[in-house]
Amino acid sequence: MNIYGITQAALERYFADIGENPFKAGLIYDGIYKKGIEDFAEFGFADRVTARLKADLEFEFPEVVETLDSEDSAKLLLRLKDGEYAETVLMRQKFGNVLCVSTQVGCNMGCVFCQSGRMKKRRSLLAGEIVGQVMAVRRELGADIGGVSVMGIGEPFDNFEEVRNFCGIVSADKGLAVGRRHITVSTCGIVPRIYEYAELPSSYNLAISLHAPNDELRSRIMPINKAYPLKEVLTAAEYFSERTGRRVTLEYVMLGGVNDLPEHAKQLARLIGSRSFYVNIIPYNPTDNGFRKSSNEEIELFRGVLRKNGIVATRRREFGTGLKAACGQLRADYERDGL
Ligand code: SAH
């Protein structure tokens, strides 16, 4: 088993099962995450314990296939144990480094503007493979991670258990200790899982990829909307925010001439109503999907209408456009050209 995929609670149970003090789990967490230890021999445990740990657990790192680095961001393409690829993007923000992690190989959600969906889901990633993205970035770039966005390739709520364990592992105080309010899981809106997420004993932030202010348009660009229409998604999001006290972000990617008209902003404001969601406007990262990026003027007009209607709307800084950082782009190129 990969040590990076084991929650502290599970590691405590493991030690109890082999007749050892569960307290050792905290020592391991501290050693591997805070001190970067990659060998059980360095813990100074009795020989039989070390031998047992070595037999049962391994330090599994993905292989770094490609690193693209620029001033404000870096992107790593990683090869997993079975030869599949995952990618992760580091965003160097003023207040610290935020890592965007992938949760699946490919994606089945089929959003028409998104590159990731071009390749159907091949499999979901294990928690240890998601943590592995953090470990690989730390090792490769020497970067400390202050926040995590679960917004890379894949639909996190189509891989709920592993994503939940991932969040638990990276936020553990004795481990990487990423603050829970610096962890955000982004979903296209799988409603039952939003309710499940709201009931987790420790909560993290929630972002919803909304991208359209009415069902007709949303169903056209995001097929998941046919199963879980807007009203249900927003009701679930509101439940989450009431249950956890956390604010929900609605992501809105600006597709030129498709969903970015002032009329759409008005509809969006009406849809949100008095709920305390805030909107994150995402400039579209152009791919060859047939959509165009909204102009600055279009984006500012849209944002202005939201603001006039009392909706807090921020605009996402564009990271790594030169790095092919839009979901799945590096990987797609790698498959096409072998880079
Ligand atoms: N499946 C999850 C998380 C992964 S996608 C979700 O849907 O939220 C992360 C975000 O990037 C989503 O909001 C997605 O719609 C958006 N996105 C996809 N392709 C994009 C592109 N080319 N430019 C900008 N944002 C994009």
Side-chain angles (χ1 to χ4, degrees), residues 10-28 44-53 56:
L11 200 56
E12 282 166 4
R13 284 195 299 276
Y14 166 83
F15 277 114
D17 286 348
I18 63 168
E20 294 293 327
N21 190 338
F23 177 74
K24 289 194 172 69
L27 298 178
I28 299 248
F45 296 147
D47 286 352
R48 67 184 153 74
V49 177
T50 305
R52 180 73 196 255
L53 288 170
D56 290 343

Side-chain angles (χ1 to χ4, degrees), residues 253-277:
V253 64
M254 297 291 280
L255 305 169
V258 175
N259 66 354
D260 66 342
L261 306 177
E263 180 52 32
H264 294 128
K266 276 187 211 138
Q267 278 181 29
L268 181 58
R270 273 201 300 276
L271 188 67
I272 294 173
S274 59
R275 293 182 276 212
S276 64
F277 302 145

Side-chain angles (χ1 to χ4, degrees), residues 107 109 111 113-116 150-156 186-189 207-211 222 251 253 282-287 289 316 326-327 329:
C107 180
M109 298 302 124
C111 302
F113 50 84
C114 178
Q115 199 75 3
S116 302
V150 185
M151 294 187 188
I153 295 174
E155 168 48 44
S186 173
T187 178
C188 62
I208 308 267
S209 294
L210 207 73
H211 303 335
M222 299 179 70
E251 298 163 271
V253 64
I282 311 177
Y284 177 62
N285 203 339
T287 63
N289 287 351
R316 182 180 295 175
C327 315
Q329 276 178 277

Side-chain angles (χ1 to χ4, degrees), residues 119-136:
M119 189 181 89
K120 284 279 153 255
K121 175 176 88 178
R122 287 225 269 259
R123 68 174 176 87
S124 283
L125 298 184
L126 297 167
E129 292 173 318
I130 312 175
V131 176
Q133 297 168 44
V134 181
M135 300 310 284

Side-chain angles (χ1 to χ4, degrees), residues 83-280:
E84 294 287 5
Y85 294 90
E87 47 184 83
T88 185
V89 176
L90 178 73
M91 296 169 286
R92 298 186 178 100
Q93 305 200 341
K94 277 195 213 78
F95 48 86
N97 291 325
V98 176
L99 191 70
C100 180
V101 295
S102 295
T103 55
Q104 296 182 314
V105 180
C107 180
N108 276 347
M109 298 302 124
C111 302
V112 296
F113 50 84
C114 178
Q115 199 75 3
S116 302
R118 290 271 180 104
M119 189 181 89
K120 284 279 153 255
K121 175 176 88 178
R122 287 225 269 259
R123 68 174 176 87
S124 283
L125 298 184
L126 297 167
E129 292 173 318
I130 312 175
V131 176
Q133 297 168 44
V134 181
M135 300 310 284
V137 167
R138 290 211 329 171
R139 199 198 234 181
E140 188 77 4
L141 304 171
D144 272 329
I145 306 301
V148 173
S149 290
V150 185
M151 294 187 188
I153 295 174
E155 168 48 44
F157 284 177
D158 185 33
N159 186 17
F160 193 85
E161 294 284 296
E162 301 295 326
V163 168
R164 186 196 61 192
N165 287 340
F166 162 75
C167 293
I169 294 167
V170 293
S171 62
D173 286 340
K174 286 198 160 36
L176 294 167
V178 178
R180 291 201 189 92
R181 76 186 64 153
H182 300 297
I183 297 177
T184 301
V185 176
S186 173
T187 178
C188 62
I190 301 182
V191 167
R193 297 287 92 73
I194 297 175
Y195 286 105
E196 208 173 322
Y197 188 62
E199 302 305 331
L200 293 183
S202 26
S203 61
Y204 314 93
N205 294 331
L206 176 67
I208 308 267
S209 294
L210 207 73
H211 303 335
N214 62 67
D215 281 318
E216 188 271 319
L217 177 56
R218 193 164 191 267
S219 294
R220 230 179 332 128
I221 59 175
M222 299 179 70
I224 190 71
N225 194 64
K226 293 173 199 151
Y228 304 114
L230 273 173
K231 192 163 165 271
E232 290 179 28
V233 173
L234 292 181
T235 302
E238 191 175 18
Y239 178 82
F240 170 86
S241 103
E242 278 165 9
R243 187 88 173 87
T244 63
R246 295 190 185 273
R247 195 155 64 157
V248 174
T249 307
L250 303 179
E251 298 163 271
Y252 199 98
V253 64
M254 297 291 280
L255 305 169
V258 175
N259 66 354
D260 66 342
L261 306 177
E263 180 52 32
H264 294 128
K266 276 187 211 138
Q267 278 181 29
L268 181 58
R270 273 201 300 276
L271 188 67
I272 294 173
S274 59
R275 293 182 276 212
S276 64
F277 302 145
Y278 87 106
V279 176
N280 193 207

